């Protein structure tokens, strides 16, 4: 069974990276994108049941909710970058219902990690990775057929319908699964209720719109699925400990570098 990590749900426009020697990590998935760059050695990476052997300069761009795991072959040194979909909003909007046929490509220029404290350099770096991936592979509609991907299907449903009347009851009808079963499955795998996850998702998108659009707060609330403005303000404050107006003014963009 894969486990769910909260990357891309709790961080506001998150971007962080770290380097590891001889790493291994079990099957998992998350809303954030993940980049794996092999600096030395060899890594075995599995993405949605497809196995890759990565060598120095090989780079994997893993899409939101793609199930993946990796293990070192003898020895390796890798750099991992995890970032929110909102940082590459145009690419995310166009490809959110697709996955690459081949997630791996070669990175010809080694990143200057010291320069990636700026959000503008971060976006430039990430869009260059997206461009390289587009040049290297075709894209296919995400596969939802496996039983192990029930939660994946729920998360994709939220991606497409969070701005509307999105509820677990609607999901259970759409996916033809028992409501109680989906409720227990969701809580077990994410450690959050469906409504908690939906609130975090909606507020995360609201943060993106506050920083990247001229929409009014009323419009943003409506575009994030809130019909009641008081509920939007309450949920926004509970998650961010700040009001939407104050958040928009502060320029609250932080990059955590580990």
């Amino acid at each position: 069974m894969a486990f769910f990590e909260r990357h891309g749900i709790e961080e506001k426009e998150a971007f962080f990276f770290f380097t590891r020697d001889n790493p291994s990590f079990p099957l998992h998935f998350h809303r954030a994108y993940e980049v794996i760059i092999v600096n030395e050695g060899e890594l075995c990476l599995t993405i949605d049941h497809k196995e890759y052997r990565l060598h120095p300069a090989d780079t994997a761009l893993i899409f939101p909710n793609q199930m993946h795991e990796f293990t070192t072959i003898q020895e390796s040194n890798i750099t991992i970058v995890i970032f929110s979909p909102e940082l590459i909003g145009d690419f995310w909007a166009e490809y959110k219902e697709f996955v690459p046929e081949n997630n791996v490509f070669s990175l010809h220029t080694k990143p200057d990690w010291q320069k990636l404290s700026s959000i503008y350099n971060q976006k430039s770096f990430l869009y260059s990775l997206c461009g390289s991936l587009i040049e290297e592979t075709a894209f296919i509609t995400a596969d939802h057929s496996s039983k192990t991907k029930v939660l994946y299907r729920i998360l994709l449903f939220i991606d497409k319908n969070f701005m509307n009347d999105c509820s677990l009851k609607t999901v259970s009808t759409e996916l033809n699964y028992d409501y109680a079963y989906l409720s227990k499955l969701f809580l077990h795998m994410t450690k959050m209720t469906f409504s908690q996850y939906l609130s975090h998702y909606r507020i995360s998108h609201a943060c993106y719109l506050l920083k990247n659009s001229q929409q009014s707060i009323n419009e943003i609330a409506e575009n994030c699925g809130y019909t009641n403005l008081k509920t939007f303000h309450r949920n926004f404050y509970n998650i961010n400990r700040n009001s939407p107006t104050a958040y928009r003014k502060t320029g609250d963009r932080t990059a955590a570098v580990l």
Side-chain angles (χ1 to χ4, degrees):
M1 171 96 46
F3 70 91
F4 174 76
E5 292 192 306
R6 298 190 183 188
H7 298 312
I9 292 297
E10 296 188 329
E11 304 97 333
K12 299 181 288 294
E13 292 195 4
F15 177 96
F16 58 94
F17 61 88
F18 50 92
T19 299
R20 292 288 184 267
D21 290 318
N22 306 322
S24 294
F25 207 78
L27 193 65
H28 66 289
F29 63 106
H30 38 68
R31 179 179 176 263
Y33 285 87
E34 182 172 342
V35 179
I36 298 177
I37 302 171
V38 176
N39 304 312
E40 298 175 5
E42 190 176 4
L43 191 77
C44 180
L45 171 65
T46 302
I47 305 174
D48 287 343
H49 307 294
K50 184 176 181 179
E51 185 175 301
Y52 301 90
R53 293 288 184 103
L54 275 60
H55 302 89
D58 281 345
T59 302
L61 178 53
I62 302 163
F63 275 37
N65 301 324
Q66 280 198 290
M67 296 188 183
H68 57 287
E69 61 183 330
F70 54 83
T71 185
T72 290
I73 301 173
Q74 294 187 343
E75 62 180 26
S76 69
N77 175 274
I78 70 171
T79 299
I80 296 175
V81 183
I82 296 176
F83 62 96
S84 300
E86 288 80 7
L87 281 176
I88 51 170
D90 292 336
F91 179 86
W92 177 45
E94 185 172 353
Y95 288 95
K96 66 190 306 182
E97 296 183 28
F98 301 90
V99 294
E101 283 189 342
N102 185 348
N103 292 76
V104 176
F105 57 95
S106 293
L107 189 66
H108 300 295
T109 303
K110 188 175 182 179
D112 186 347
W113 300 109
Q114 293 183 345
K115 291 184 178 181
L116 294 182
S117 58
S118 161
I119 191 170
Y120 304 108
N121 287 338
Q122 291 167 10
K123 288 189 173 185
S124 176
F125 166 65
L126 296 175
Y127 271 114
S128 70
L129 293 181
C130 294
S132 296
L133 183 68
I134 291 171
E135 292 175 354
E136 294 288 336
T137 188
F139 291 81
I140 57 176
T141 303
D143 176 19
H144 315 317
S145 61
S146 173
K147 184 177 179 181
T148 62
K149 296 184 180 180
V150 174
L151 181 58
Y152 180 41
R153 296 175 66 191
I154 298 174
L155 299 179
L156 286 179
F157 185 90
I158 294 173
D159 280 347
K160 295 175 63 176
N161 297 280
F162 73 94
M163 71 294 293
N164 301 315
D165 183 17
C166 185
S167 68
L168 188 57
K169 184 177 180 180
T170 305
V171 174
S172 66
T173 301
E174 180 72 19
L175 302 186
N176 197 27
Y177 275 90
D178 179 69
Y179 173 92
Y181 167 76
L182 292 185
S183 179
K184 292 179 181 178
L185 175 75
F186 198 94
L187 180 61
H188 174 72
M189 295 189 70
T190 69
K191 310 305 179 188
M192 306 172 76
T193 65
F194 179 89
S195 60
Q196 287 172 332
Y197 180 95
L198 180 62
S199 291
H200 276 81
Y201 189 105
R202 284 172 165 169
I203 297 304
S204 176
H205 191 66
C207 289
Y208 172 74
L209 293 177
L210 285 166
K211 293 302 179 186
N212 295 279
S213 79
Q214 298 301 315
Q215 296 179 28
S216 69
I217 291 176
N218 285 13
E219 289 172 327
I220 289 173
E222 183 176 351
N223 289 334
C224 291
Y226 288 95
T227 57
N228 187 306
L229 192 59
K230 289 184 178 179
T231 301
F232 170 70
H233 279 275
R234 182 176 65 250
N235 287 359
F236 194 98
Y237 183 83
N238 287 341
I239 291 172
N240 290 304
R241 295 300 170 189
N242 211 346
S243 70
T245 301
Y247 179 84
R248 173 170 261 173
K249 289 179 179 179
T250 57
D252 187 5
R253 298 171 182 258
T254 58
V257 180
L258 303 184

